[in-house]
Amino acid sequence: MTLDRLKAMEVFVQVAQLGSFTQAADALRMPKPTVTTLVQQLEAHLGVQLLQRTTRRLTLTEDGVACKERGIALMREFAELEAQVRGSVITPTGRLRVDVPAAVGRHVLMPVLPKFFERYPEIVLEVGSTDRPVDLVREGVDCV
């Protein structure tokens, strides 16, 4: 089984911030044994001990402190990346040139245009209607 390093880092950061495997498991909505295993696998992968564990206390080692700080920054960067990518995917923008046969335009395309514009308000749609073959490149049409 390969280690999902990003997930393991997220789990470690949560444990380090909360000071508890149980609280981290609750916050992440994961079983406690999974949280424990992921932290152990991360430690094994890195070849260092990140946490000092006793029955009553959990403390970060020197490597654990450094890993927590970098891990927090990494999680923040990853969240920003996800938000940026989701934002670009969720709100497509630009011009779209479409050419359809007259019957398709009238009976298929036109009835769904209001819903299309509601969902994609940033798209500028140029619709042509012809029954002749269209040269996409020469005529600058994106879709037929």
Side-chain angles (χ1 to χ4, degrees):
M1 182 173 120
T2 58
L3 175 63
D4 180 345
R5 293 181 301 179
L6 188 62
K7 185 55 145 180
M9 183 60 69
E10 176 187 19
V11 168
F12 166 72
V13 165
Q14 197 70 267
V15 170
Q17 288 180 318
L18 297 174
S20 162
F21 282 90
T22 302
Q23 288 179 13
D26 290 344
L28 294 165
R29 296 187 177 155
M30 297 173 74
K32 184 182 174 205
T34 302
V35 169
T36 302
T37 300
L38 283 169
V39 171
Q40 289 171 340
Q41 289 176 342
L42 181 62
E43 289 177 319
H45 175 76
L46 296 173
V48 296
Q49 186 175 358
L50 300 172
L51 300 165
Q52 291 284 352
R53 302 159 180 88
T54 67
T55 54
R56 294 178 184 239
R57 203 156 178 214
L58 184 72
T59 57
L60 294 168
T61 63
E62 192 174 313
D63 290 325
V65 171
C67 191
K68 173 188 168 191
E69 290 172 8
R70 294 293 306 234
I72 290 169
L74 177 65
M75 293 299 106
R76 188 178 320 111
E77 289 276 331
F78 191 72
E80 289 170 7
L81 170 66
E82 284 182 316
Q84 180 182 6
V85 171
R86 279 193 185 118
S88 68
V89 172
I90 292 172
T91 55
T93 62
R95 180 179 63 97
L96 180 62
R97 293 192 64 199
V98 178
D99 198 291
V100 295
V104 172
R106 189 170 32 260
H107 299 292
V108 177
L109 187 60
M110 296 306 272
V112 298
L113 283 180
K115 199 170 221 172
F116 176 86
F117 288 125
E118 181 180 313
R119 185 169 181 182
Y120 303 106
E122 300 297 318
I123 296 288
V124 176
L125 187 62
E126 294 178 15
V127 179
S129 179
T130 181
D131 290 322
R132 66 171 175 71
V134 175
D135 183 333
L136 297 174
V137 175
R138 189 168 42 94
E139 297 180 45
V141 175
D142 299 306
C143 179
V144 291

